[in-house]
Amino acid sequence: MKFGINFPYLLTYFLLSSNALTEAVKILALFPFPGPSQYILVQPYLKMLASRGYEVTSVNAFPQKQKVENFRDITVMEVHDNYADVISGAQVERNKWGEMTFLSEFFMNITETVLKNPKVQNLLKNEHFDLVIMETLHTDAWYSLGRHFGAPMIGISSFGTDPIIDELMGNMSPFSYTPLVTIGYTEHMSYTERLWNTIYQLMELLHVRWVTIPLQRQLMAKYMPHIQEDVWELRTNFSLMLLNQHFSLSYPRPYVPSMVEVGGFQLHYKPNPLPQDIQEFLNSSQEDVIYFSMGSNVKSKDFPPERLQMINDIFRKLPYKILWKFENTHLPGKPANVFIKPWFPQPDVLAHARVKLFISHGGLLSTSESVYHGKPMLGLPVFYDQTMNINKAKRAGFALSVDFYTLPKEEFENTILEMMRNAKYFKKAKEISRIYHDQPVKPLDLAVFWTEYVLRHRGAPHLQSPAQKMNFFKKHSIDTVGVLIAAVVLSGISVVFIILSVFRFVFSKKTEKQ
């Protein structure tokens, strides 16, 4: 079923407490990333807070085109510099430690770019905020802002949780069925996969200690020297973590109370009419429609000419219409059944009844939108969590995948035809969509409720797990289990020693008698 009517207590809370709670409350939001995905995710949430009377100041790289009441942009456009090189670099094959270092250095540069921005410096020197909301992506020096303003912090994770997010919140995720998001495994791992997953998760924890934290500690000393606490202490001060995840998109897993799943909270619930040019293209025939988009980071216009020609050749033969997010106005050799546009209102396109397949890179936003609208996916994962997202969708039965880097022509064409002709993928997508929609509270309302809960309870310290302040050995009871194991080993050694001593004594007596 669709999202139900909100619980009466939640509705009553929204109606009665809004004016008292929002009066003069100032919120600082930090989402200054050069890729638009993170900001697309949180904009509805931030605008909802503004519509409820909070004064929202958003540090970002994608300012509003139209003025929004109670909403102020602080733009940090410098983060776009050399971003194309970063995306190209992310596609270079590295070992796992090299991948972690590449991401850590990228986010260190973003962290410093924001902290040294004159407009951000002005905020730090001259303004006060009652709540700080930010994406938690290896930007630990920003976590000093909560202490600077004396305000609680709410984190948002655009991909769910991982070992680092777990550490921030004192959560524990068993390595046996919670794979690292960057290695492509699902929760169903073989013994070998579980072994490698354990190795990679421990590597992640070591890397953050040996590489990420030292870099972030230097930035904090440079730009926030008045903060006395170490960055390691500050990173455990989050009151709440909102996770862009839902068990229908991933799998059931444990969370502490301060971690809340709000997967898909960027989606609006009534699709808007499609732009006229798109609608006219769809109305020109009754053929089923395929939507093709590689997201906001990987651009189709940058594909090699031979790949573009190959895709054109395949699309030309298909008895379907294709909507292709192509970032140039001209595509050489474009077939008549293909409509290109630099940007599509993706949720509205996926909501259209005649769209029967989504060819996608498999980013979590795209995956959640596909699930929301019940559309099967053909995945072409490129990097980060995309392989894992597509593999989960494949296991759930509503997706197939083709290797993006080789993209074999025959396999690509046959996979498209298989998914368009075999109704099982569409039926499974609808089934998963029904599971996702069967929630008592809309994810956006849930996010707002817990945000105001943190404000109402002055940071809600009662939500925070004691494990947030524990080190790795104490949190996982390695110190106590280690003592018990040592005791057993020592007891075993003592027993063996005693037995050997008895035998030696007995044999020595026999020898004396002889």
Side-chain angles (χ1 to χ4, degrees), residues 18 22-25 47-56 70:
S18 179
T22 62
E23 184 177 357
V25 171
K47 289 179 179 178
M48 175 67 83
L49 293 174
S51 72
R52 293 177 60 76
Y54 300 103
E55 296 182 25
V56 177
N70 297 325

Side-chain angles (χ1 to χ4, degrees), residues 249 367 377 388-400:
L249 304 172
T367 304
M377 300 180 72
M388 182 183 70
N389 297 335
I390 292 298
N391 283 342
K392 288 177 182 176
K394 287 168 65 177
R395 187 172 184 87
F398 69 94
L400 293 176

Side-chain angles (χ1 to χ4, degrees), residues 152-294:
M153 294 190 298
I154 293 178
I156 292 182
S157 175
S158 56
F159 57 87
T161 190
D162 69 358
I164 308 307
I165 303 295
D166 281 344
E167 278 202 322
L168 298 182
M169 305 309 296
N171 193 51
M172 288 184 281
S173 298
F175 293 171
S176 56
Y177 67 92
T178 55
L180 191 66
V181 298
T182 56
I183 59 178
Y185 298 161
T186 70
E187 70 277 19
H188 299 281
M189 292 179 277
S190 65
Y191 176 81
T192 301
E193 288 173 336
R194 286 189 289 114
L195 179 61
W196 279 111
N197 180 56
T198 300
I199 292 171
Y200 288 143
Q201 297 232 31
L202 292 175
M203 280 177 61
E204 182 82 42
L205 294 171
L206 287 174
H207 192 276
V208 78
R209 287 160 170 76
W210 293 351
V211 179
T212 303
I213 292 299
L215 292 174
Q216 294 289 327
R217 187 177 283 126
Q218 292 173 15
L219 292 181
M220 208 178 85
K222 182 177 180 180
Y223 295 101
M224 306 292 284
H226 58 288
I227 303 296
Q228 298 301 311
E229 293 94 333
D230 184 68
V231 65
W232 194 263
E233 180 180 349
L234 296 172
R235 70 199 300 268
T236 61
N237 286 337
F238 281 91
S239 298
L240 179 71
M241 186 67 64
L242 299 175
L243 305 170
N244 180 39
Q245 194 54 273
H246 184 259
F247 55 80
S248 65
L249 304 172
S250 59
Y251 53 91
R253 61 185 300 165
Y255 295 116
V256 294
S258 55
M259 300 172 76
V260 181
E261 288 190 334
V262 291
F265 73 140
Q266 82 278 13
L267 292 162
H268 49 80
Y269 306 106
K270 292 183 179 179
N272 297 314
L274 292 174
Q276 184 177 351
D277 55 348
I278 301 175
Q279 191 63 58
E280 288 177 354
F281 176 75
L282 297 182
N283 290 342
S284 63
S285 73
Q286 293 303 311
E287 296 162 337
D288 287 337
V289 179
I290 298 170
Y291 175 54
F292 178 29
S293 171
M294 290 300 295

Side-chain angles (χ1 to χ4, degrees), residues 26-78:
K26 295 184 177 182
I27 297 174
L28 175 64
L30 281 90
F31 297 90
F33 300 99
S37 296
Q38 286 100 336
Y39 204 48
I40 290 172
L41 175 71
V42 300
Q43 278 193 86
Y45 164 67
L46 298 179
K47 289 179 179 178
M48 175 67 83
L49 293 174
S51 72
R52 293 177 60 76
Y54 300 103
E55 296 182 25
V56 177
T57 297
S58 174
V59 179
N60 67 81
F62 298 93
Q64 301 300 311
K65 296 179 180 178
Q66 296 180 343
K67 182 175 175 58
V68 177
E69 187 177 1
N70 297 325
F71 194 99
R72 175 177 53 149
D73 286 310
I74 301 295
T75 55
V76 186
M77 305 305 290
E78 312 92 277

